[in-house]
């Protein structure tokens, strides 16, 4: 195990280093990098869900003043084939989903490009499409693995037989909706060719991920592609994997004689081709003794993928680790539809995957006549039931007990529909969170001592609004044993040492580990009194503990729900979460991350839902007016706390990751509280007024 880092700067409530630049508008986002003589791209999207483009008539578009070029499947330059079907933009006449990019206009102004795109006429040969998601489809299939490389199914004992004879049983089907990521900054790419070198200013969660994808599509050596993203206005997963728009921008820029092409995806377009979360259907069976101890757990998941490219969300994976039982099963089956490719969104797997089991546990508590907190305490496993490994640390019990104390859980009436106050049914609920500690020993970092006696740390990480620049500066300062003011972290540029994507809540773990390794090498090679120009680079070492220990962050979430007795309208006046996430590097940005996650969970519980019109195959509520995301007015009181967890095995910093765990379990806590308020069990998200107006 690598030596733990002594915390000095870590733990300090440091303000976000780029805060001033952001609030004064001087922090450049992708669109804002100054480039000379830019041109503007506006795409044309398929208006059929399946078929073939037979003709593109661009005469009216090209006749407009200021239109430079119109790219179509019939005239677009070639790209590599067979690497990634999603990125093969304009490479064939096939239409795989409605909203697909089928043409693009490049013009002197954004307005001209948009107007011209409207004038492009596309003819199609339409084929029947199928976008109907259901667990009853006969063509459901088992993928080879689920994201990223988990086994599709797991099986132990005989869960059906054990369930059949269990003293207490819960069997139910739970569904989560289709969701679109909707970071505040739309996906944006500025592409500039200089001979055979390509520069992309891109709104991305991973500059090296984009570089690899684009270099692959254009069959370029990666050294000829540079991706720059110093500031990113959120990603929520949808900027973690490259999508077709950025390839399209680079493709169009091959036709502008060196002039940059700027492409900012509109909010409406973000509902078509930059990823989303699959809807999920989970059939859960929990069997337990009369004392509530689980004997059988099964979780059978059905979800969507695109027919033209597979993505399998790992929805059943958290159930494998959360609770133990002698008989267990998880399965994943996919419906391949004529839709865009689902991909990562805000805790893929864990987020939808903890809704079903954590509501089912609430139902089991009711069936056993147990308090839901007590039921969970009773089912704490000794080891990770999935891997059989001991947990590096599992402080769920502390989260539950501390959360119950802070929330005032002991004042809760044991039975539902017990409190009617001023015309509102009032109830409270609890659910658990977990999120894995993901690490891959591939990130590198450099440390250079500058003339101004500042240590410049370079790593191709990204700060997507999380505060990673600030946290990494604190880690670097501790690793070099200097003050944070003596360190400058440079990130967001593929010219810097290779880094993993800002995803899987793993940035601080992976990048921090690389920085610690580089700093220690710097001290070993250059000493404590270095000369300007001294430099060292290192890759994050593999952590041997990962094969001996199961590493996860945990949390407990408590919700208070009010339901209008006359209208069924649900409100969540209070959310309170307590998390065990290892060392918190920066309490200010960490609290913000956890609160943000919990607010997203509230949003999932009550508001978010992409509505697919099956007749046409597109999302109809494709803007923020009709796809509601929780606002401050919805999130009245959101409190996030953490316990003082010390886990030296995860990495030298002792960090576990905080980006996504806040969203995991929140929706279950809200649904459980809605049940406690009204006696009505809602198993389908979002929890809306119509569901709460039925008889309990
Ligand atoms: Mo995050 S949804 O793992 O990019």
């Amino acid at each position: 195990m690598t030596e733990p880092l002594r915390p000095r700067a870590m733990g300090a409530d440091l303000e976000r280093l780029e805060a001033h630049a952001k609030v004064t508008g001087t922090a450049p986002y992708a669109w804002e990098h100054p480039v000379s003589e830019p041109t503007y791209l506006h795409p044309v999207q398929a208006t059929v869900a399946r078929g073939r483009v037979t003709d593109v008539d661009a005469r009216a578009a090209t006749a407009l003043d200021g239109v430079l070029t119109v790219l179509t499947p019939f005239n677009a330059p070639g790209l590599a084939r067979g690497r990634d079907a999603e990125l093969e933009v304009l490479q064939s006449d096939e239409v795989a989903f409605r909203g697909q990019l089928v043409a693009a206009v490049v013009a002197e102004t954004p307005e001209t490009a948009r107007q011209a795109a409207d004038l492009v006429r596309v003819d199609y040969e339409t084929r029947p499409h199928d976008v109907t998601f259901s667990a009853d489809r006969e063509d459901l299939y088992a993928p080879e693995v689920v994201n990223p490389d988990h086994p599709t199914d797991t099986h132990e004992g005989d869960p059906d037989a054990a369930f059949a004879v269990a003293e207490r049983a819960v069997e139910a089907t739970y569904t989560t909706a289709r969701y679109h990521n909707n970071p505040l900054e739309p996906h944006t790419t500025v592409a500039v060719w200089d001979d055979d070198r390509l520069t992309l200013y891109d709104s991305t969660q991973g500059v090296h991920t984009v570089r690899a994808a684009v270099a692959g599509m254009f069959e370029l050596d990666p050294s000829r592609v540079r991706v720059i993203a110093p500031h990113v206005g959120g990603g929520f997963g949808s900027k973690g994997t490259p999508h077709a728009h950025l390839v399209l921008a680079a493709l169009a820029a091959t036709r502008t004689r060196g002039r940059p092409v700027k492409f900012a995806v509109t909010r409406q377009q973000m509902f078509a081709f930059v990823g989303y979360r699959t809807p999920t259907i989970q059939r859960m069976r929990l069997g337990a003794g009369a004392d509530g101890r689980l004997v059988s757990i099964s979780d059978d998941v059905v979800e969507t993928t695109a027919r033209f490219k597979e993505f399998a969300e790992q929805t059943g994976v958290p159930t494998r680790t959360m609770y133990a039982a002698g008989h267990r099963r998880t399965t994943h089956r996919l419906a391949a539809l004529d839709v865009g490719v689902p991909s990562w969104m805000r805790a893929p797997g864990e987020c939808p995957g903890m809704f079903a089991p954590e509501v089912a546990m609430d139902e089991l508590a009711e069936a056993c006549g147990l308090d839901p907190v007590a039921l969970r305490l009773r089912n704490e496993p000794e080891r990770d039931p999935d891997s059989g490994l001991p947990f590096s640390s599992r402080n769920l019990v502390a989260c539950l007990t501390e959360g119950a104390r802070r929330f005032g859980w002991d004042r809760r009436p044991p039975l539902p529909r017990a409190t009617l106050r001023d015309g509102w049914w009032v109830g409270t609920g609890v659910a658990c969170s977990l999120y894995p500690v993901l690490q891959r020993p591939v990130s590198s970092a450099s440390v250079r001592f500058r003339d101004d006696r500042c240590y410049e740390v370079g790593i191709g990480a990204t700060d997507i609004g999380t505060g990673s620049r600030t946290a990494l500066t604190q880690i670097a300062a501790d690793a070099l044993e200097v003050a944070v003011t003596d360190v400058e972290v440079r990130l967001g540029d593929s010219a810097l040492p290779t880094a993993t994507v800002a995803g899987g809540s793993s940035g601080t773990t992976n990048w921090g580990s690389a920085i610690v390794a580089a700093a220690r090498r710097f001290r070993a090679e250059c000493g404590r009194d270095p000369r300007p120009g001294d430099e060292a680079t290192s890759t994050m070492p593999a952590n041997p503990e990962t094969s001996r220990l199961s590493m996860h962050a945990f949390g407990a979430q408590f919700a208070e729900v009010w339901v209008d007795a006359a209208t069924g309208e649900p409100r969540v006046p209070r959310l309170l979460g307590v998390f065990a996430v290892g060392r918190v590097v920066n309490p200010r940005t960490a609290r913000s991350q956890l609160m943000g996650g919990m607010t997203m969970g509230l949003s999932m519980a009550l508001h978010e839902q992409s509505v697919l019109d099956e007749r046409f195959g597109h999302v109809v509520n494709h803007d923020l007016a009709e796809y509601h995301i929780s606002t401050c007015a919805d999130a009245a009181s959101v409190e996030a706390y953490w316990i003082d967890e010390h886990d030296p095995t995860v990495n030298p910093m002792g960090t576990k990751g905080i980006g996504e765990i806040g969203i995991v379990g929140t929706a279950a806590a809200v649904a459980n509280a809605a049940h406690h308020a009204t006696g009505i069990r809602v198993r389908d998200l979002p929890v809306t007024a119509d569901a709460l107006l039925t008889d309990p």
Side-chain angles (χ1 to χ4, degrees):
M1 197 184 80
T2 49
E3 195 191 325
L5 195 58
R6 258 185 63 201
R8 297 182 217 209
M10 286 196 299
D13 191 35
L14 195 63
E15 265 178 36
R16 198 181 288 269
L17 296 171
E18 73 281 12
H20 187 264
K22 279 183 172 169
V23 298
T24 54
T26 57
Y29 289 79
W31 181 266
E32 299 165 335
H33 291 272
V35 289
S36 65
E37 291 191 89
T39 67
Y40 301 88
L41 184 150
H42 199 90
V44 179
Q45 297 175 262
T47 54
V48 303
R50 187 165 173 237
R52 216 165 58 76
V53 175
T54 53
D55 187 41
V56 180
D57 181 350
R59 281 172 298 183
T62 46
L64 269 192
D65 252 4
V67 170
L68 300 169
T69 187
V70 179
L71 283 132
T72 76
F74 307 112
N75 69 10
L79 294 166
R81 304 296 298 274
R83 297 175 62 99
D84 184 336
E86 185 181 0
L87 302 184
E88 291 177 11
V89 59
L90 305 188
Q91 298 303 294
S92 95
D93 56 8
E94 293 288 318
V95 176
F97 63 97
R98 184 168 161 139
Q100 181 184 319
L101 299 167
V102 293
V105 175
V106 180
E108 295 286 351
T109 69
E111 293 80 7
T112 305
R114 189 166 191 155
Q115 184 188 359
D118 276 346
L119 297 174
V120 175
R121 289 192 41 128
V122 183
D123 292 328
Y124 301 93
E125 177 191 301
T126 307
R127 289 201 282 270
H129 67 268
D130 180 359
V131 298
T132 303
F133 178 53
S134 147
D136 302 325
R137 293 179 63 105
E138 294 191 343
D139 59 353
L140 299 178
Y141 74 98
E144 277 183 27
V145 292
V146 293
N147 176 57
D149 52 11
H150 295 284
T152 303
D153 297 351
T154 55
H155 206 275
E156 190 179 319
D158 189 344
D160 291 336
F163 178 80
V165 299
E167 291 172 295
R168 298 287 182 274
V170 171
E171 176 170 19
T173 298
Y174 305 83
T175 67
T176 59
R178 180 179 283 100
Y179 305 109
H180 280 77
N181 309 61
N182 276 302
L184 206 52
E185 183 198 15
H187 300 66
T188 301
T189 304
V190 180
V192 198
W193 285 97
D194 180 6
D195 289 329
D196 59 349
R197 289 179 177 275
L198 174 64
T199 302
L200 296 172
Y201 300 95
D202 191 42
S203 183
T204 177
Q205 292 171 230
V207 288
H208 290 100
T209 309
V210 168
R211 184 179 74 169
V214 172
M217 294 311 289
F218 286 88
E219 296 180 310
L220 290 171
D221 189 273
S223 65
R224 298 195 177 279
V225 181
R226 184 168 174 195
V227 182
I228 297 170
H231 301 284
V232 178
F236 300 162
S238 64
K239 296 172 185 170
T241 49
H243 300 293
H245 66 282
L246 68 93
V247 179
L248 180 60
L251 196 65
T254 64
R255 288 293 170 85
T256 52
R257 301 169 194 276
R259 292 179 67 184
V261 170
K262 301 180 80 165
F263 180 11
V265 174
T266 65
R267 182 64 58 183
Q268 285 89 349
Q269 290 162 2
M270 286 169 69
F271 286 79
F273 52 75
V274 292
Y276 62 97
R277 187 182 336 262
T278 172
T280 69
I281 301 170
Q282 284 181 269
R283 181 164 166 271
M284 292 284 319
R285 281 172 150 192
L286 298 180
D291 61 357
R293 277 180 222 283
L294 289 160
V295 294
S296 174
I297 302 171
S298 52
D299 185 359
D300 296 303
V301 180
V302 180
E303 52 202 18
T304 291
T305 185
R307 198 194 294 277
F308 79 103
K309 178 185 168 183
E310 183 181 280
F311 176 80
E313 180 130 352
Q314 72 277 31
T315 305
V317 165
T319 293
R320 296 173 184 171
T321 289
M322 199 59 208
Y323 305 108
H327 304 273
R328 306 184 313 127
R329 178 182 72 229
T330 60
T331 65
H332 294 85
R333 297 295 176 267
L334 301 182
L337 306 178
D338 300 311
V339 293
V341 190
S343 63
W344 299 343
M345 167 158 162
R346 316 183 198 152
E350 280 73 23
C351 174
M354 283 291 272
F355 173 66
E358 288 300 302
V359 177
M361 284 295 276
D362 203 63
E363 300 198 51
L364 182 65
E366 199 181 16
C368 297
L370 278 172
D371 177 89
V373 171
L375 176 72
R376 288 170 170 87
L377 297 178
R378 194 161 289 188
N379 278 291
E380 262 297 282
E382 294 279 306
R383 292 170 164 254
D384 181 345
D386 186 36
S387 62
L389 298 174
F391 288 103
S392 65
S393 51
R394 173 169 166 133
N395 284 306
L396 178 60
V397 169
C399 294
L400 281 164
T401 50
E402 172 74 358
R405 185 186 68 76
R406 286 182 178 271
F407 190 73
W409 187 255
D410 59 350
R411 295 192 300 271
R412 182 189 203 240
L415 292 177
R417 210 173 175 89
T419 309
L420 183 62
R421 196 181 299 151
D422 299 333
W424 295 81
W425 292 107
V426 177
T428 53
V430 65
C432 296
S433 314
L434 98 164
Y435 199 86
V437 181
L438 301 175
Q439 39 196 323
R440 277 198 309 139
V442 296
S443 292
S444 296
S446 62
V447 175
R448 190 167 63 88
F449 191 60
R450 292 195 313 218
D451 291 341
D452 63 357
R453 310 202 64 75
C454 180
Y455 293 85
E456 184 177 291
V457 174
I459 183 164
T462 47
D463 188 329
I464 61 171
T466 53
S468 53
R469 180 182 277 103
T470 311
L472 294 181
T473 301
Q474 293 171 267
I475 290 167
D478 284 352
L480 289 161
E481 298 178 350
V482 298
V484 287
T485 47
D486 292 330
V487 175
E488 185 180 318
V489 170
R490 294 189 55 221
L491 44 69
D493 186 341
S494 66
L496 295 166
T498 306
T500 47
V501 71
S505 303
S506 68
T508 302
T509 285
N510 284 284
W511 309 330
S513 297
I515 288 171
V516 170
R520 285 175 175 167
R521 172 166 291 174
F522 181 93
R523 283 289 183 238
E525 291 176 0
C526 310
R528 296 213 54 83
D529 190 18
R531 285 170 313 201
D534 281 354
E535 183 165 4
T537 300
S538 182
T539 302
M540 165 190 175
N543 181 357
E545 302 290 345
T546 54
S547 58
R548 293 195 283 267
L549 296 168
S550 169
M551 299 177 179
H552 291 78
F554 291 89
Q557 308 229 26
F558 295 80
E560 181 176 327
V561 169
W562 289 32
V563 176
D564 188 305
T567 68
E569 178 192 356
R571 293 261 166 187
V572 179
R574 189 173 183 215
L575 283 177
L576 186 152
V578 178
F579 300 92
V581 289
R583 182 186 308 285
V584 168
V585 174
N586 184 319
R588 183 185 299 244
T589 53
R591 179 166 284 114
S592 169
Q593 284 288 95
L594 294 167
M595 288 173 64
M598 293 166 71
T599 307
M600 290 179 200
L602 166 64
S603 203
M604 175 193 192
L606 298 188
H607 306 306
E608 288 184 58
Q609 179 176 29
S610 308
V611 179
L612 197 73
D613 187 329
E614 295 189 355
R615 298 170 302 170
F616 306 109
H618 71 301
V619 172
V620 289
N621 56 334
H622 61 321
D623 55 48
L624 294 184
E626 298 198 52
Y627 182 97
H628 183 65
I629 295 175
S630 292
T631 65
C632 291
D634 299 301
S637 165
V638 179
E639 299 168 68
Y641 304 97
W642 48 85
I643 63 158
D644 190 17
E645 184 175 68
H646 181 63
D647 187 338
T649 67
V650 285
N651 53 51
M653 301 80 66
T655 58
K656 283 185 169 178
I658 51 173
E660 285 156 293
I661 191 165
I663 192 176
V664 178
T666 327
V670 171
N672 293 342
H675 172 262
H676 185 244
T678 62
I680 298 164
R681 182 65 69 182
V682 182
R683 302 187 181 91
D684 305 298
L685 291 180
V687 178
T688 48
D690 53 332
L692 296 171
L693 273 178
T694 55
D695 285 329

